[in-house]
Amino acid sequence: METWRRNPLVFWIFLVPPTIWLAAFFLVPLGLIWVFSFGEKRGLVDIEITWSLANYVRALEPLYLQIIAKSLWMAGLTTAICLVVAFPVVFAISFAPPRWKPILLLLVILPFWTNLLIRTYALIAVLRTRGYINFTLEWFWDGGNQILTAVGLGDLQLLGASFQPLQLLYNNTAVVFGLVYVHLPFMVLPLYASMERLDKSMIEASLDLGASQARTFFSVVAPLAKPGIVSGLIITFIPAMGSFLTPNLLGGTDSQMIANVIERQFKSANDWPFGAALSFLLMYATFGALAMRSLLARGSPGTEHGA
Amino acid sequence: MLKDKRVRPSRRSFLAGTGAVAAGITVLPRFAVGAEEPKLNFYNWDTYIGETTLDDFKDATGIAVKMDLFADNDELFAKLKEGNPGYDLIVPTNDYVQRMIAAEMLDALDHSAIPNFKSNVAAQFQEANFDPGRKFSMPYMWGTIGIGYRKSKMDGVPDSWKWLYDSDKYSGKIAILSGKAAIESALKYLGHSLNADDPATIKQAEQLVIRQKPHIKVFAADNGQDLLLSGEVDITMEWNGDVLQVMEEDDDIGYVVPKEGGELWQDCLCIPKGAPHPENAHKFINYILDAEAGAAIADFIQYATPNAAAAKLMSEEYRSNPAIFPPEAVIAKCEPSVYQGAKRARLMDEAWTRIQAA
C-alpha cells in the first residue's frame, strides 16, 4: 500500500490536478464568501471588508433562528422518512438474485438522469388540484357513485355532493414529500453499500438462536450497518437543509427554508455579506454536528461494554 | 381576445423565477477601432423582438446583429457586474436601469443619434423617474402588474387589490407574486405609493399580507398564470404579459389592473459600459423607435409599445386590449418601482422574510 513512497514523482504528478482543482474551485471561492461575511455593503456592487460581526449578529436574530429551526425540522423529518423508506428497499435489493441487483440499483439511480427542476415540475403535475392523483381519485369517486346509483342509493350522496380534490400541493407536507423524493437515493446507496458487506450468516445465526425478526434487526443488522446509516443520514440531511428549489416550487405561504433566505440575499435583496454570514453560520453548525458525532462515536464502545 | 394564436412563450417565462434558465456565456472579441465593424451584440429577453427585425435591420444598414438571451434582470445584472463581456445593447427593466446607473454600468446615450425618440415616443415616456432626462435609457416596451382571474369564478370584474389582500371571498384560490411585488401591491391597496420607504408604512403592508395569509394559497414565483390555467387558483397577481399568454389558450381568463393602480414596468434599451460597437447600438435603437419597425415588433410580441407612431399603425384589437393598454385613468395611478438604496431593499426583504415566517 505504501508504494507511492517509492515513486514520489508519480504520486505528486497525480496529486497536482486535484489539488489545483480543489483550491481554485472550492477553497478560493469559499474563502471569498467567508471574507464577504465580515463585509459591509458600499453602494450597489461594492463590498468593503470591515471585519465587523454585524452580519453574524443579524443572522442570530430570532427571525432567522426561527427559520433555521424550521429548516432543521423539515430536513430532519425528510432524513428520518428517507431512512425508514430506504431500509426495506435496501433489504429487497441486497437479498435479490444477483442478476437483478444491477437493474434494481439502476432504478434507484435513474431519477438522477433527469434534472431536479424537471422532476419537481413533474411532481407538481402529479400533486396539483387537477393532477394525476386527483384524477385517479375522481375516477374512483365516479365509479363508486355509479355503483351506488345502480343499487338504488344514488340519491343519498354517500360520497358527498361532488368530488372534493385533495389539496396536496403548496404546503409543508408537499415540501417534505418533494425532499424525500429527491433525497431518497442519497440514503439508499450508502445503506446498500454497508448491507452488501454485511455477513448474511449473522442474520441466520440470530434467527436460528431464537431472536425475533425485530430483535435481529435492531441488535444485529442495525449495529452492523451503522456506518452506512450514519453516512446516509449525513449526506441526506445536509443537502436537504440547503434546498431552496423544492420549498420554492412546492411550498405554500409558510414553507420558506433558510436556503430561500440565503438565495434572496444573493439575488433580489442584493446583500451578499449577510447571505455569506447566514451560509457560514449553517456551515459552522454542520461542522459542529459532525464533530459531535465523531466525539460520540469515540465514546460509545466504552458505554456499550459498561452496560 | 387576441386572434393571434402563435405559440409565444412569455418573456418572463416561469423558469425565470428559479434562475434555472441560463443563456450561454459568450465572450466576444473587442475591436477598438475608429470605424466600427458592421456588428452588434444584443442581449435580450427571450421572444422579445420582431420576427424579422434583426434581418430587416441588416438589410437596411448592413449591420449584423447577434442576439443572446437572458432569463431575468438578476442574470443580466450579474453577468455585467464584473465587466461587460462584449454586449452593445441590453434590455433591463426600469428598477435595474436605475441600479445599473448607480453602479456606473451604463454609457450615456447620444440623443442626437436617436432622432426617432423625440418624434415617435409618446409624451409620458419622454421622461422617467428612474432615469431623469433619459440620459441612459430609451423605452422599449411597457406593461403592468395586475390581476389575472378566471371569469366564470368571479362576481364581475375583480378590479381591486381587495380581492387578493382583504377578503375571504376567494379563500384558498388566491395566488400573490412572491417578494417585493407582494408588499408593493399591498401598499397600493392601502393608498400609499408602491415606493413608500417609511418603515411604519411598510409594516402596515406587511401586517395586511400576514392577516390575509390563511386565504392565500401560494406566493407564486412568477408562475401565477400557470396556476390560473391549471385551475389551482382563480385569482392571481401577475405581470400582464404572462396572463396575456394564457388568455390566448383559455377564453375564461381575464386581466385587469386594479383601480388603486399597480406597478408600471418599463423595459429599456441601454448601452452598457465598454460596449464595442456603441455607434451601431445607437443606430439600432433609432431603428427600433421607428414607426414601422416598432409596429412590427409590437405586433409580434404583443406588449404595449411606448412608440406612439408605431401604435398608430397597429390594429384596433391591439390598441383596445385592456391587458395590453389599461384605461388612461388607471394608468395614471400606476407607477414604476424605483430602487431606493440598500436600506429600503433590506426593509423590504426583512418584511418579506417575516411574512413567510409568520
Side-chain angles (χ1 to χ4, degrees), chain B residues 113-135:
Chain B
I114 315 171
N116 280 339
F117 172 59
K118 279 273 175 288
S119 57
N120 289 348
V121 169
Q124 67 183 113
F125 296 102
Q126 292 284 337
E127 244 320 315
N129 63 352
F130 52 88
D131 176 19
R134 284 257 176 226
K135 273 194 232 152

Side-chain angles (χ1 to χ4, degrees), chain A residues 41 44-45 58 63-64 66-67 117 121 128-130 167 170 251 253-254 256 264-265 267 269-270, chain B residues 14-15 20 81 99 102 213 216-219 227 230-232 339 346 349-350 352-354 356-357:
Chain A
K41 272 173 61 68
L44 272 162
V45 280
R58 186 179 164 200
L63 173 64
Y64 299 104
Q66 181 199 339
I67 299 168
L117 190 69
Y121 272 103
R128 66 185 172 198
T129 310
R130 286 200 226 158
Q167 298 300 318
Y170 306 121
T253 53
D254 61 347
Q256 129 184 289
R264 277 209 305 281
Q265 303 312 315
K267 294 179 88 182
N270 192 24
Chain B
F14 56 83
L15 291 176
K81 191 174 166 180
R99 284 168 80 150
K213 257 179 82 170
I216 302 172
K217 174 141 195 172
V218 59
F219 293 127
L227 300 172
S230 67
E232 201 69 46
Y339 181 76
R346 177 167 164 179
D349 184 67
E350 285 180 339
W352 178 240
T353 307
R354 277 194 299 269
Q356 289 185 91

Side-chain angles (χ1 to χ4, degrees), chain B residues 23-314:
Chain B
I25 301 172
T26 337
V27 181
L28 300 147
R30 292 185 195 186
F31 291 84
V33 285
E36 283 178 8
E37 49 168 358
K39 282 185 182 168
L40 182 75
N41 300 315
F42 184 30
Y43 199 26
N44 191 13
W45 302 84
D46 196 5
T47 34
Y48 208 41
I49 189 80
E51 202 167 12
T52 59
T53 308
L54 303 184
D55 292 335
D56 295 346
F57 180 63
K58 189 175 181 187
D59 291 343
T61 61
I63 297 170
V65 182
K66 181 176 177 309
M67 186 168 74
D68 284 349
L69 304 176
F70 59 87
D72 59 28
N73 280 299
D74 285 322
E75 186 185 329
L76 170 69
F77 190 81
K79 191 155 283 176
L80 291 168
K81 191 174 166 180
E82 306 300 337
N84 183 355
Y87 294 114
D88 299 304
L89 191 61
I90 54 174
V91 194
T93 308
N94 47 280
D95 48 339
Y96 277 76
V97 171
Q98 203 188 355
R99 284 168 80 150
M100 288 181 165
I101 293 171
E104 298 183 345
M105 289 158 71
L106 300 179
D107 265 339
L109 298 173
D110 176 6
H111 283 220
S112 68
I114 315 171
N116 280 339
F117 172 59
K118 279 273 175 288
S119 57
N120 289 348
V121 169
Q124 67 183 113
F125 296 102
Q126 292 284 337
E127 244 320 315
N129 63 352
F130 52 88
D131 176 19
R134 284 257 176 226
K135 273 194 232 152
F136 298 94
S137 69
M138 286 289 133
Y140 180 57
M141 291 288 156
W142 65 276
T144 47
I145 292 183
I147 296 177
Y149 59 96
R150 186 161 286 283
K151 294 173 188 166
S152 56
K153 298 286 175 78
M154 301 284 125
D155 283 344
V157 176
D159 62 348
S160 166
W161 290 120
K162 179 184 166 190
W163 304 116
L164 291 174
Y165 285 104
D166 202 9
S167 155
D168 59 1
K169 185 158 180 169
Y170 304 115
S171 184
K173 288 297 202 175
I174 298 172
I176 284 181
L177 277 178
S178 62
K180 196 165 74 81
I183 303 167
E184 289 180 342
S185 299
L187 284 168
K188 275 310 235 188
Y189 173 66
L190 294 169
H192 303 292
S193 160
L194 57 78
N195 291 311
D197 61 352
D198 161 47
T201 312
I202 294 173
K203 188 86 192 165
Q204 225 183 326
E206 175 192 325
Q207 279 161 351
L208 178 73
V209 186
I210 290 174
R211 205 180 64 205
Q212 183 71 356
K213 257 179 82 170
H215 305 301
I216 302 172
K217 174 141 195 172
V218 59
F219 293 127
D222 220 0
N223 61 341
Q225 73 279 16
D226 301 319
L227 300 172
L228 197 57
L229 187 64
S230 67
E232 201 69 46
V233 301
D234 293 331
I235 182 165
T236 179
M237 182 201 301
E238 245 319 325
W239 304 89
N240 64 325
D242 286 343
V243 181
L244 203 60
Q245 178 198 6
V246 292
M247 281 167 74
E248 289 177 25
E249 290 174 45
D250 188 341
D251 280 344
D252 196 26
I253 290 173
Y255 176 85
V256 64
V257 180
K259 56 177 188 261
E260 298 92 358
E263 179 175 341
L264 191 148
W265 56 264
Q266 206 181 109
D267 286 335
C268 298
L269 299 165
C270 299
I271 301 180
K273 272 226 152 59
H277 315 102
E279 273 175 42
N280 294 346
H282 279 91
K283 278 182 202 157
F284 191 51
I285 293 174
N286 197 49
Y287 180 78
I288 287 173
L289 294 179
D290 170 68
E292 276 182 29
I297 297 170
D299 182 50
F300 186 66
I301 66 178
Q302 295 285 326
Y303 276 89
T305 176
N307 186 339
K312 273 198 200 111
L313 302 175
M314 297 290 294

Side-chain angles (χ1 to χ4, degrees), chain A residues 162-240:
Chain A
S162 65
F163 173 70
Q164 292 299 323
L166 298 179
Q167 298 300 318
L168 300 167
L169 210 51
Y170 306 121
N171 49 47
N172 291 331
T173 316
V175 176
V176 172
F177 185 85
L179 288 176
V180 168
Y181 166 64
V182 168
H183 292 99
L184 196 55
F186 291 110
M187 186 65 88
V188 168
L189 296 177
L191 267 188
Y192 175 74
S194 62
M195 280 297 285
E196 270 300 281
R197 282 201 301 270
L198 191 147
D199 188 349
K200 303 287 191 306
S201 56
M202 300 272 202
I203 299 173
E204 282 166 29
S206 167
L207 292 172
D208 282 351
L209 294 170
S212 68
Q213 297 278 354
R215 180 86 199 270
T216 303
F217 178 80
F218 287 108
S219 303
V220 179
V221 178
L224 288 173
K226 196 176 156 199
I229 296 174
V230 171
S231 41
L233 290 176
I234 292 172
I235 65 168
T236 308
F237 181 80
I238 291 175

